[in-house]
Structures are given as structure tokens and as C-alpha cells.
Amino acid sequence: MSVEPLLELSGVRAGYGAIEVLHSVDLILEPGAVVALLGPNGGGKTTTLRVCSGIHPVSSGEFRLAGRVVNGVSAAEFARLGVCSIPEGRGIFPNLTVRENLWIGTGTGVPLADLEEVAYTRFPVLGERRSQLAGSMSGGEQQMLALSRALGTHPTVLLLDELSMGLAPRIVSRIYDIVGELAAEGVSILVAEQFARAVLPIATSAALMLQGRVVRTGDPAEIEEELSTTYLGG
Ligand code: ATP
């Protein structure tokens, strides 16, 4: 019996104003999968994630979530459907405390006490720093805060954009270990990464995105190899 995809883009086009940047994107996230969206700068990874989180409109094609067509559904409704995203740059508020960031970030009505429990249980360091300004923490701790905010809503789908940005390799691998734990707990994950090697240990498949199209999907290590030798000059 085939499993219905959790998230499915078929022939999706999207852009900014009159400029189309996604040219018929096909992408599938199966339940329990970790799909790495890989590709050079400007290929359309961030726009694809924005479409998947409901904050960027689809101009044509079909976007399905758990079998339901969701073209035009609001971002707030996406959150209620269990889709949660961490944008490039983490989306935290540097001038607010850890606790305030947890409170302000979700918009799903989950009580603060529940958000704090999830955050501090998984990341005790955030509990120690609950009254500290988020902007004064290290990049890795800020990424933990961003992950905590997402986890507090108990998502079924997690959309992650460039988690490695600005972090030392050791911290990147720690953050991806945590993402791997979430996947093992059953969260389905679509993760865009330019630093493809970081995501290889946890990816179940990869999609290579070039110039607004997914040109290939398959084994993460093979796609990373193709990306680094053919497109990034490595
Ligand atoms: P990066 O890693 O640099 O974010 P990406 O693969 O995530 O790259 P996108 O950010 O989705 O790619 O960009 C795809 C194309 O859309 C690029 O040509 C980019 O210049 C363009 N683009 C992105 N954001 C906007 C915007 N707000 N207005 C106009 N064009 C945009």
C-alpha cells in the first residue's frame, strides 16, 4: 500500500511581482522523511520553503497537505495544520528575552508554560537563560531557541532554512543531531541547506534545486557529490 505524501508540490510556480522564480516545482515529503533541499545560491530553496509554510502564494500548480489542496490557505491555518517553519536567520527577536521569544513566536495559542516546558526540558541551557536577551546568546543557543519555539507547537511538518548559517561546524553538527532526534520522534522535515554535508547524516532523500526547478531527487550523498563537483566547483 502506498503512503499518501504529507506535503506535495506539483507543477508549482511562484515569484515576486512579475518575476517568476519557481518554474514548475515538483516535490514530495513523505511522512517521517527528512528531505534535504540542496542547491547553489538563488536556486529557489527559500522561496520553496516560504510556499510550503503558506507565507508565499502559489501562482499556479497544486500544493497539497495531507491530501488536501491548500493553495491560498493562510499561514495561520498552516500553523494549525501542524506546519511550522524556522526561517533563514532564525526569526528570533534579539531584544527580547528567551521567555518572551517563546511567548511571542508561535501565534498558535499554546500556553507559555507548555512552551517553556518543552524548551527547557530539551535545552536546559535555555532554562538557565530564560531572562537573558536572546541577542546576547551564542548563535547555537539562538538556534536552539528557534527550534524550541517550533517544537512547542508540536508540529507534524518542520521546514528549516539554512540552520547552519553563521555557526561553527561543531555547533552545526550538534544542531543537526537534534533535528535527527526530532525526525526519530516522527516529525517530517524539509530542510534547505547550502552546506549540504551538514544535513547528510539525517537526510532520507535529497532534492537538487537549480534555477527554480527541482532537477533531481534521490540519494543524499550522490546529490551532495553532484552539487559540490558540478555546481559549486568543489
Ligand atoms: P539563497 O540561499 O541565496 O537564499 P535560495 O536557493 O534560497 O538562495 P531564493 O532565496 O528562493 O533562493 O531566491 C530565488 C530567486 O528569487 C533569486 O533569483 C532571488 O534573487 C529571487 N528573490 C528572492 N527573494 C526575492 C524578493 N523578495 N524579491 C525579488 N526577488 C527575490
Side-chain angles (χ1 to χ4, degrees), residues 4-198:
E4 183 167 59
L6 203 46
L7 187 152
E8 186 172 18
L9 303 183
S10 308
V12 161
R13 294 174 184 272
Y16 298 90
I19 302 170
E20 184 179 281
V21 300
L22 299 187
H23 313 295
S24 195
V25 169
D26 297 320
L27 189 68
I28 284 180
L29 180 67
E30 309 272 10
V34 179
V35 175
L37 192 56
L38 306 179
N41 254 340
K45 303 182 297 297
T46 294
T47 309
T48 301
L49 287 181
R50 287 168 57 86
V51 163
C52 291
S53 61
I55 56 176
H56 196 93
V58 168
S59 36
S60 68
E62 202 167 79
F63 176 15
R64 288 176 179 269
L65 202 55
R68 170 183 162 198
V69 176
V70 289
N71 294 31
V73 167
S74 72
E77 177 66 8
F78 269 68
R80 276 191 289 276
L81 291 169
V83 179
C84 190
S85 69
I86 299 182
E88 202 170 343
R90 306 176 191 124
I92 65 164
F93 300 94
N95 295 322
L96 298 182
T97 64
V98 165
R99 197 160 180 266
E100 288 164 341
N101 264 280
L102 290 173
W103 179 72
I104 209 166
T106 66
T108 53
V110 178
L112 177 59
D114 294 2
L115 296 171
E116 286 193 281
E117 190 186 334
V118 169
Y120 305 156
T121 304
R122 194 174 289 269
F123 304 112
V125 66
L126 295 182
E128 291 159 22
R129 299 184 178 206
R130 67 187 77 190
S131 303
Q132 191 171 322
L133 293 183
S136 68
M137 299 196 300
S138 71
E141 287 162 354
Q142 291 183 31
Q143 200 61 277
M144 289 174 200
L145 175 57
L147 277 168
S148 295
R149 256 182 18 183
L151 294 181
T153 66
H154 301 289
T156 36
V157 176
L158 201 47
L159 306 168
L160 306 174
D161 198 1
E162 304 279 351
L163 287 187
S164 68
M165 189 177 280
L167 300 181
R170 184 176 53 84
I171 308 295
V172 171
S173 104
R174 183 148 169 243
I175 293 289
Y176 273 112
D177 283 348
I178 294 162
V179 174
E181 287 168 24
L182 301 178
E185 289 165 21
V187 183
S188 307
I189 298 171
L190 177 61
V191 51
E193 256 302 344
Q194 244 188 93
F195 180 42
R197 269 182 209 157

